[in-house]
């Protein structure tokens, strides 16, 4: 947070303005830095998804989203950038970057194949994930000044969500949602840690079943489709094997 002025004042690049939305979906214009090489952009969550833009009564990390920051990234990519440096301080959000993912073309769907609502609370409803296309060549770098893990007593929800307007009960909700979201991301990015069921495009962990699109390969992250089912007592694998994502 605050790096845009520093970079501009020291002649590292030019400030670029683009149309986007804030963390509660209102149209705004937000800035980022396009470096001199025109292939790298510095983008801050605080510009489009910042806490300072909201009144106290508007702060609600259950529904605030990073979608607007994703639109800034999309603008930078359209200008030819191949490296994105994302500063993560000062945000009003607790959505694990889900809004960014959606703005870049990713799809997060519930059990009825409908898009998830914005914000961190909806992430525990995620059942289908379709990753954005044509981003393999992009280099991503996150700039932050904290060492908190995603989950747990010192995690994002418990430490930072109260600052963004979450009550004690809402913090627990956000923790649960981020935990669910992280398990799915882990399955997508670390498939070798999953156990493959015989004769099915199905991978299992202790709590979830992951069904992969037959047309997709783990090596082809651009076309990955994954279906998630919670595993409950008495779960019958063959029932879930009847239908795969399209």
């Amino acid at each position: 947070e605050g790096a845009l002025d520093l970079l501009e004042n020291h002649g590292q690049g030019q400030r670029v303005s683009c149309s986007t939305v804030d963390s509660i979906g209102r149209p705004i214009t937000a800035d980022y830095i396009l470096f001199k090489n025109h292939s790298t952009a510095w983008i801050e969550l605080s510009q489009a998804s910042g806490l300072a833009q909201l009144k106290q009564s508007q702060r609600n990390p259950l529904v605030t989203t990073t979608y607007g920051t994703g639109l800034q990234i999309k603008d930078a990519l359209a200008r030819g950038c191949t490296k994105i440096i994302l500063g993560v301080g000062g945000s009003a959000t607790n959505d694990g970057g889900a809004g960014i993912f959606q703005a870049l073309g990713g799809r997060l769907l519930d059990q009825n194949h409908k898009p998830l609502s914005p914000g961190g609370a909806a992430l525990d409803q995620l059942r289908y994930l379709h990753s954005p296309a044509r981003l393999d060549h992009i280099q991503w770098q996150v700039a932050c000044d904290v060492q908190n893990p995603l989950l747990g007593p010192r995690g994002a929800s418990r430490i930072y969500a109260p600052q963004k307007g979450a009550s004690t009960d809402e913090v627990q909700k956000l923790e649960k949602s981020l935990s669910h979201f992280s398990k799915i991301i882990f399955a997508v990015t670390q498939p070798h840690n999953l156990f493959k069921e015989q004769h099915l495009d199905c991978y299992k962990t202790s709590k979830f079943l992951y069904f992969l699109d037959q047309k997709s390969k783990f090596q082809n992250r651009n076309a990955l489709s994954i279906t998630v089912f919670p595993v409950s007592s008495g779960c019958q694998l063959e029932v879930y094997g009847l239908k795969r994502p399209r």
Side-chain angles (χ1 to χ4, degrees), residues 20-25 28 30 43-51 53-54 60-74 86-105 108 117-121 123 140 164 178 181:
T20 182
V21 295
D22 67 9
S23 61
I24 56 176
I28 61 170
I43 296 173
E44 293 187 353
L45 276 175
S46 61
Q47 292 297 303
S49 309
L51 189 64
Q53 299 160 350
L54 303 183
N60 183 359
L62 296 177
V63 298
T64 49
T65 174
T66 54
Y67 190 88
T69 300
L71 293 180
Q72 287 188 285
I73 295 173
K74 189 175 181 179
L86 181 64
V88 297
S91 83
T93 60
N94 203 101
D95 71 350
I100 293 174
F101 181 88
Q102 291 168 309
L104 294 176
L108 302 174
S117 300
L123 294 175
W140 305 91
K164 304 173 185 185
L178 275 187
F181 190 41

Side-chain angles (χ1 to χ4, degrees), residues 4 7-8 13-16 31-35 40-42:
L4 299 192
L7 292 169
E8 185 180 36
Q14 66 183 75
R15 187 181 289 257
V16 175
D31 296 347
Y32 63 89
I33 292 293
L34 182 64
F35 283 88
T40 302
W42 182 291

Side-chain angles (χ1 to χ4, degrees), residues 27 57 63 92 94 98 105 108 129 134 138 150 190 207 228 233 245:
S57 61
V63 298
N94 203 101
L108 302 174
L129 182 152
R134 298 180 297 277
I138 305 301
L150 180 66
Q190 304 292 333
K207 293 186 178 180
V228 186
S233 58

